[in-house]
């Protein structure tokens, strides 16, 4: 199942409207948090991404893998999808795609790229989209690899964002997202 009501869900969360009937009939699989907490984090097998909400904006944390995109008869096993999506409501709409990965950094980048493709109409409505890959191993020099180069070009040129890869744990402030 690939949720076809993501934009409606975002709008209902941000503007406190009645949410649409959930495609997967259980929003608890999709929405990790939706509020103005000082930091939002996602954790998986010793990998962690923390977004510090210094501006106290409303941030929605969505579970993409197993929530917004779940394997079923329409979505085959092995479909590339990132782990989390953060939607930040401020003067400019911002999205952050996050993948928490073991050692296969190129696969993490492909998962972010394929998620962008699956929801391209949704992401085109954002002022900025950022990609974050947090890995357990040391990050190899990927700047010449096609997965990295293609994703950086796509995010920079189409979505006015950037891509960052970090080892084990990555913490950043919302006001520093655009810094390379």
């Amino acid at each position: 199942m690939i949720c076809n009501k993501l934009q409606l869900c975002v709008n209902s969360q941000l503007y406190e409207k009645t949410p649409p009937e959930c495609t997967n009939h259980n929003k608890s699989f999709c929405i990790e948090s939706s509020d103005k907490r000082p930091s939002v984090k996602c954790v998986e097998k010793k990998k962690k991404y923390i977004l510090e909400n210094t501006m106290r904006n409303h941030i929605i944390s969505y579970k993409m893998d197993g929530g917004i995109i779940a394997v079923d008869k329409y979505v085959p096993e092995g479909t590339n999808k990132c782990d989390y999506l953060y939607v930040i409501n401020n003067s400019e709409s911002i999205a952050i795609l996050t993948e928490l990965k073991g050692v296969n950094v190129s696969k993490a980048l492909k998962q972010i790229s394929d998620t962008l493709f699956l929801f391209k109409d949704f992401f085109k409505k954002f002022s900025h989209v950022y990609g974050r890959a947090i890995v357990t191993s040391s990050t190899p020099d990927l700047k010449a690899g096609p997965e990295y180069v293609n994703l950086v070009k796509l995010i920079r040129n189409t979505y006015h964002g950037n891509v960052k890869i970090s080892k084990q744990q990555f913490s950043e402030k919302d006001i520093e997202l655009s810094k390379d």
Side-chain angles (χ1 to χ4, degrees):
M1 182 259 346
I2 296 177
C3 179
N4 61 1
K5 296 184 179 181
L6 184 55
Q7 185 65 58
L8 291 171
C9 184
V10 167
N11 291 342
S12 71
Q13 291 294 312
L14 294 178
Y15 305 111
E16 299 179 7
K17 296 180 181 177
T18 304
E21 184 177 330
C22 190
T23 304
N24 72 5
H25 304 293
N26 190 352
K27 277 186 256 195
S28 64
F29 287 127
C30 301
I31 301 171
E32 296 270 312
S33 64
S34 178
D35 53 30
K36 295 181 179 186
R37 65 184 66 190
S39 68
V40 183
K41 66 181 175 180
C42 53
V43 180
E44 185 177 287
K45 297 179 184 174
K46 298 183 181 179
K47 294 168 297 293
K48 185 187 302 185
Y49 175 76
I50 302 167
L51 177 64
E52 295 178 37
N53 188 9
T54 61
M55 298 176 65
R56 295 296 192 265
N57 290 309
H58 189 135
I59 299 176
I60 309 169
S61 173
Y62 285 100
K63 179 85 169 128
M64 294 299 283
D65 187 358
I68 301 297
I69 305 169
V71 173
D72 65 5
K73 63 183 180 181
Y74 303 107
V75 178
E77 189 72 42
T79 299
N80 287 319
K81 58 221 169 268
C82 68
D83 290 320
Y84 292 90
L85 164 65
Y86 291 165
V87 175
I88 303 170
N89 184 34
N90 70 7
S91 60
E92 296 183 320
S93 55
I94 297 171
I96 305 169
L97 293 166
T98 307
E99 176 60 29
L100 306 171
K101 184 56 86 188
V103 295
N104 193 344
V105 179
S106 61
K107 170 90 171 158
L109 298 173
K110 177 111 172 90
Q111 287 174 271
I112 293 170
S113 179
D114 286 3
T115 303
L116 280 167
F117 178 75
L118 284 171
F119 291 95
K120 64 183 169 202
D121 292 334
F122 172 74
F123 288 114
K124 284 183 180 178
K125 296 175 182 165
F126 286 88
S127 300
H128 304 281
V129 177
Y130 300 95
R132 303 295 185 253
I134 291 66
V135 297
T136 49
S137 66
S138 61
T139 57
D141 185 14
L142 294 170
K143 299 203 179 200
E147 293 87 0
Y148 179 80
V149 170
N150 293 337
L151 182 59
V152 166
K153 282 182 184 177
L154 175 67
I155 287 184
R156 182 183 304 133
N157 297 338
T158 305
Y159 301 105
H160 315 289
N162 59 35
V163 176
K164 294 182 183 176
I165 302 169
S166 182
K167 182 180 173 187
Q168 291 291 114
Q169 181 172 317
F170 184 53
S171 179
E172 67 183 332
K173 294 179 181 176
D174 52 0
I175 58 175
E176 298 175 342
L177 287 169
S178 62
K179 293 182 180 178
D180 281 328

